[in-house]
Amino acid sequence: MSDALKHECGIALIRLLKPLEFYKEKYGSAFYGVNKMYLMMEKQHNRGQDGAGFASIKMDTKPGERYISRVRSIAQQPIQDIFAQINERVNKELAEHPEYQDSVELQKKHIPYIGEVLLGHVRYGTFGKNSVESVHPFLRQNNWQHRNLILAGNFNMTNVKELFKNLIELGQHPKEYTDTITIMEKIGHFLDDAVSKIYKDLKKEGYGKHECSPLIAERLKVAKILRRAAKNWDGGYAMAGLLGHGDAFVLRDPAGIRPAYYYKDDEVVVVASERPVIQTVFNVEFDDVKEIDPGNALIIKKSGQVSTKQILKPLERKSCSFERIYFSRGSDAEIYQERKTLGKLLMPKVLKAIDNDTQNTVFSYIPNTAETSFYGMIDEVEAHLNQKKTQAILNGNGKLSAENVTSILKERPRIEKIAIKDVKLRTFITEDSSRDDLVAHVYDVTYGVIKPTDNLVIIDDSIVRGTTLKKSIIKMMDRLHPKKIVIVSSAPQIRFPDCYGIDMANLETLVAFNAALALLKDNNKYDLVETVYKKCKEQVNLEDKDVKNFVNEIYEQFTPEQISAKISELLTDDSVNAEVEIIFQPVANLHKACPGHLGDWYFTGNYPTAGGNRVVNRAFINFYEGNKERAY
């Protein structure tokens, strides 16, 4: 994606099912879990580089012994910073106490971070400040071991205001107005309530205070706590939690918007946001890694018992298609094939744009994440050429010379590496014209491979704001003096804001929205903007379930092709000499390529939860009123 877009987060959970001595004997270190967590977080660094956090719990410690450790960082390379801190502390303890070296018992007792339950998180901030206090895992502390709660997640809630109000009605005084704090306190409230009730029951049964603690851990029903806490949540989420005594859970939203995968054997239970992370780190097969079903929680009790429980009734499955197009690592077997298919399905439109002139067309891609869809596109170009060659040979009726046949077979797709991203340039100068000049040099181009008679086809993952295209890529491509530049987006037009964890909160930043507005002006229909505004305002006080998405009316006035043409116009300034055409993936093709992942609200406005329609209407109201606030 050529536009800078913050998005997503990544979670990683490891529960060691054997005593730490087992891992020391088999793998050479009691820090087996910590080492694996480092790998799992590094393999998900694509999901978040604003910050990272790690927490661990030691089980069955004695009173007075520290059993929870946590470290968080917002350093430039936060994952490396976290594990450098952990490594430094571990080495310091081992150097000062050589007797710990061969004793797992002493290591567990005295060295932090070692433990049986580990939770990791990588973060892109979409809500709140990017300070270390905003980095997951969050910790809710209590002197009762069972009431300690550690939480990390990949999520955004659309109804934080309502959930915050519910906490106040419960008598709480939340310290922050963020969805993470609000969710943690909601779970914490029902956790406290459950622990108190079990304790009272045990007392009635005649157990002494000291005897109650292990029995509370045994009787605590995590699924019931989650059902009570999550009752009114509206959003996309995959959240992981640890309880102080050793229970753990991962809960997924009912529409399956945010991803979560797990693997279990007799040594470990592992959860991550992406399947290939688990496959690579634990060397397991594709089919060994399972998906947590929407609305369900994977629950790992202190005893080691693992179960999956339905927490919320599943909605129509709308797992995020943007995950497939761009966010997740392309090494996932399914995602790799889906991205190739996205490139393949675009070829009819590309061939039309170049008048089927493959001989005078160079194909390339930008950025590197578009490489897989590029392969799919080239496969289809080759299929087109093979058909063309076959027909040419058949038309020769067996009378072609060897030289003619060789000439026919010689034609192949012209593939070149055209754009190369240079260093991450920082725009120290704030004056607009100077900043634009710096942005224009983010990419270098390959000279000498494009002729003035050539078309240049560049495939991108998606086009969100179009800023980098306009300020940098199109101008850089034009320096090569092609006849025509065709920019191809493997994703459809992004028309609506996201409210489930991706940093697209404002309509006016989306180039498709600006193109639709420009077309309204061109066609003397701009009064529709005020009409839609009034319809949105009339719904402000309705319940979410009764709200409709009226922003769709802006787009319904024009065909996708008309909007694409206007986007091409908006992103091409007067200094560009080549003809520029921008092609977008049709939504129907997206569904063909990713049939199991139909969360397409960015493109269609069909939000998977009731809160989505309220958010898009609020985004439109904010746009109309010139309000730069987030819509959720």
Side-chain angles (χ1 to χ4, degrees):
M1 186 178 299
S2 50
D3 287 320
L5 181 66
K6 292 186 176 182
H7 55 81
E8 295 295 322
C9 290
I11 56 172
L13 184 147
I14 297 175
R15 167 62 203 277
L16 303 178
L17 297 174
K18 303 279 189 184
L20 293 178
E21 286 80 5
F22 170 87
Y23 304 95
K24 168 74 171 174
E25 184 176 336
K26 184 171 181 178
Y27 299 106
S29 172
F31 287 87
Y32 171 82
V34 177
N35 294 334
K36 290 294 188 184
M37 181 57 75
Y38 169 66
L39 291 173
M40 288 182 71
M41 290 174 69
E42 272 292 2
K43 295 294 180 184
Q44 294 185 98
H45 78 271
N46 55 297
R47 303 184 69 87
Q49 295 167 24
D50 282 346
F54 167 94
S56 64
I57 290 177
K58 306 173 193 279
M59 296 199 299
D60 301 316
T61 57
K62 295 176 182 177
E65 293 178 359
R66 183 177 177 181
Y67 58 95
I68 293 177
S69 298
R70 180 178 62 152
V71 57
R72 299 179 293 176
S73 174
I74 55 168
Q76 192 169 3
Q77 294 182 308
I79 300 171
Q80 291 91 325
D81 183 51
I82 281 171
F83 286 93
Q85 290 183 53
I86 291 172
N87 196 44
E88 184 180 355
R89 179 67 187 275
V90 170
N91 288 338
K92 180 174 180 288
E93 293 288 344
L94 292 175
E96 292 177 358
H97 302 278
E99 66 274 18
Y100 297 171
Q101 192 70 48
D102 297 314
S103 172
V104 175
E105 182 183 357
L106 291 175
Q107 287 177 11
K108 180 176 175 179
K109 183 176 181 178
H110 297 288
I111 300 178
Y113 308 116
I114 190 172
E116 291 88 353
V117 197
L118 307 101
L119 180 60
H121 188 265
V122 291
R123 176 181 189 263
Y124 266 128
T126 59
F127 194 86
K129 298 174 182 176
N130 189 34
S131 62
V132 74
E133 288 79 17
S134 301
V135 177
H136 300 201
F138 278 45
L139 173 60
R140 186 179 190 265
Q141 291 182 290
N142 195 287
N143 261 0
W144 282 64
Q145 196 175 45
H146 318 85
R147 294 186 181 185
N148 283 285
L149 172 64
I150 303 171
L151 190 72
N154 169 18
F155 65 94
N156 265 122
M157 298 296 174
T158 71
N159 61 337
V160 181
K161 188 175 181 180
E162 177 193 338
L163 297 174
F164 190 82
K165 183 182 175 185
N166 289 345
L167 286 178
I168 295 169
E169 289 170 353
L170 289 170
Q172 291 198 22
H173 189 95
K175 62 182 181 180
E176 282 184 46
Y177 182 73
T178 63
D179 51 5
T180 310
I181 290 291
T182 304
I183 292 302
M184 184 172 67
E185 291 301 339
K186 195 79 181 284
I187 297 172
H189 170 81
F190 291 109
L191 174 62
D192 289 347
D193 189 51
V195 171
S196 295
K197 284 179 179 176
I198 295 170
Y199 178 67
K200 287 176 184 176
D201 290 343
L202 289 169
K203 292 288 287 178
K204 286 178 185 176
E205 293 171 28
Y207 289 99
K209 292 179 180 179
H210 188 65
E211 296 173 292
C212 288
S213 189
L215 293 170
I216 290 172
E218 206 175 288
R219 295 189 185 187
L220 200 62
K221 295 179 179 177
V222 177
K224 186 177 180 180
I225 294 167
L226 292 176
R227 287 188 192 107
R228 296 178 74 191
K231 186 177 178 181
N232 298 317
W233 293 355
D234 188 289
Y237 50 86
M239 60 180 69
L242 314 180
L243 307 185
H245 61 275
D247 283 359
F249 66 85
V250 179
L251 172 61
R252 195 172 179 206
D253 68 83
I257 296 169
R258 298 273 74 92
Y261 296 88
Y262 74 96
Y263 164 76
K264 178 188 179 300
D265 60 22
D266 61 348
E267 294 182 11
V268 293
V269 183
V270 189
V271 182
S273 293
E274 299 188 29
R275 188 200 318 261
V277 171
I278 300 174
Q279 285 184 254
T280 300
V281 174
F282 288 89
N283 192 25
V284 295
E285 298 298 322
F286 179 93
D287 291 335
D288 295 329
V289 183
K290 309 299 181 187
E291 193 174 0
I292 298 176
D293 289 332
N296 281 249
L298 181 75
I299 296 169
I300 311 158
K301 290 292 291 176
K302 178 182 182 292
S303 63
Q305 179 191 8
V306 181
S307 61
T308 302
K309 303 283 186 182
Q310 183 175 306
I311 305 302
L312 295 164
K313 185 179 178 181
L315 302 172
E316 182 183 359
R317 187 184 175 97
K318 292 286 186 179
S319 48
C320 174
S321 55
F322 234 144
E323 282 275 352
R324 323 300 288 183
I325 296 166
Y326 174 68
F327 297 145
S328 294
R329 294 170 79 90
S331 54
D332 182 281
E334 287 182 345
I335 290 174
Y336 185 82
Q337 291 303 324
E338 288 167 5
R339 290 182 183 175
K340 283 192 75 174
T341 304
L342 286 168
K344 176 181 177 180
L345 292 173
L346 279 161
M347 270 316 296
K349 285 194 166 200
V350 173
L351 288 171
K352 184 180 177 182
I354 62 172
D355 293 326
N356 290 305
D357 185 8
T358 52
Q359 199 163 15
N360 292 299
T361 299
V362 171
F363 296 90
S364 194
Y365 60 89
I366 187 171
N368 288 341
T369 48
E371 186 175 8
T372 308
S373 56
F374 171 75
Y375 290 149
M377 186 171 71
I378 294 304
D379 283 351
E380 196 65 9
V381 177
E382 289 178 337
H384 168 78
L385 289 177
N386 286 339
Q387 190 176 20
K388 184 178 168 183
K389 292 173 192 177
T390 301
Q391 193 60 51
I393 292 170
L394 290 174
N395 290 343
N397 295 317
K399 297 177 181 179
L400 294 174
S401 66
E403 189 178 30
N404 286 337
V405 172
T406 301
S407 177
I408 290 169
L409 294 176
K410 192 176 179 181
E411 187 178 350
R412 306 179 71 85
R414 293 172 60 195
I415 300 168
E416 303 290 353
K417 180 73 172 175
I418 293 295
I420 304 143
K421 193 166 188 179
D422 203 353
V423 295
K424 187 177 180 182
L425 295 172
R426 296 186 178 274
T427 50
F428 296 108
I429 303 168
T430 57
E431 191 261 320
D432 284 346
S433 60
S434 299
R435 189 193 307 119
D436 287 352
D437 183 57
L438 288 170
V439 170
H441 290 84
V442 169
Y443 289 92
D444 280 342
V445 289
T446 304
Y447 294 96
V449 294
I450 304 288
K451 302 189 299 288
T453 53
D454 284 339
N455 304 302
L456 174 56
V457 175
I458 298 280
I459 191 167
D460 196 348
D461 305 288
S462 57
I463 299 166
V464 184
R465 303 179 183 100
T467 309
T468 310
L469 271 180
K470 182 171 184 174
K471 302 289 187 186
S472 176
I473 294 171
I474 292 175
K475 289 182 178 181
M476 295 292 279
M477 298 300 105
D478 194 53
R479 290 184 185 180
L480 302 176
H481 309 298
K483 176 178 68 175
K484 184 175 183 180
I485 299 169
V486 182
I487 307 289
V488 187
S489 169
S490 68
Q493 295 164 5
I494 297 167
R495 299 179 168 196
F496 300 93
D498 181 61
C499 51
Y500 304 118
I502 297 163
D503 192 18
M504 293 193 293
N506 305 100
L507 271 169
E508 62 271 21
T509 62
L510 305 179
V511 69
F513 181 70
N514 286 308
L517 294 181
L519 285 170
L520 288 176
K521 288 178 182 175
D522 293 348
N523 291 275
N524 297 316
K525 293 183 177 181
Y526 202 78
D527 56 349
L528 180 63
V529 172
E530 185 176 356
T531 303
V532 171
Y533 168 70
K534 287 177 179 176
K535 288 181 178 181
C536 292
K537 287 289 280 187
E538 286 168 2
Q539 297 190 107
V540 166
N541 295 316
L542 295 181
E543 290 187 30
D544 285 355
K545 65 181 178 64
D546 299 321
V547 176
K548 296 179 181 177
N549 176 0
F550 283 114
V551 180
N552 255 326
E553 293 185 12
I554 298 291
Y555 295 106
E556 286 168 357
Q557 308 302 310
F558 311 104
T559 65
E561 290 75 20
Q562 286 175 307
I563 293 174
S564 293
K566 181 55 73 171
I567 290 172
S568 302
E569 185 183 318
L570 292 178
L571 297 185
T572 309
D573 69 28
D574 295 338
S575 66
V576 175
N577 295 310
E579 179 188 351
V580 176
E581 182 175 351
I582 298 178
I583 295 172
F584 288 88
Q585 187 81 256
V587 173
N589 281 356
L590 172 66
H591 292 167
K592 282 182 190 175
C594 310
H597 304 271
L598 302 178
D600 61 5
W601 59 93
Y602 318 92
F603 319 115
T604 64
N606 297 327
Y607 287 88
T609 74
N613 287 340
R614 174 176 48 78
V615 168
V616 69
N617 286 347
R618 168 51 62 187
F620 191 85
I621 291 168
N622 287 348
F623 149 72
Y624 189 89
E625 295 178 351
N627 183 351
K628 299 300 181 185
E629 289 182 5
R630 301 179 72 85
Y632 58 93

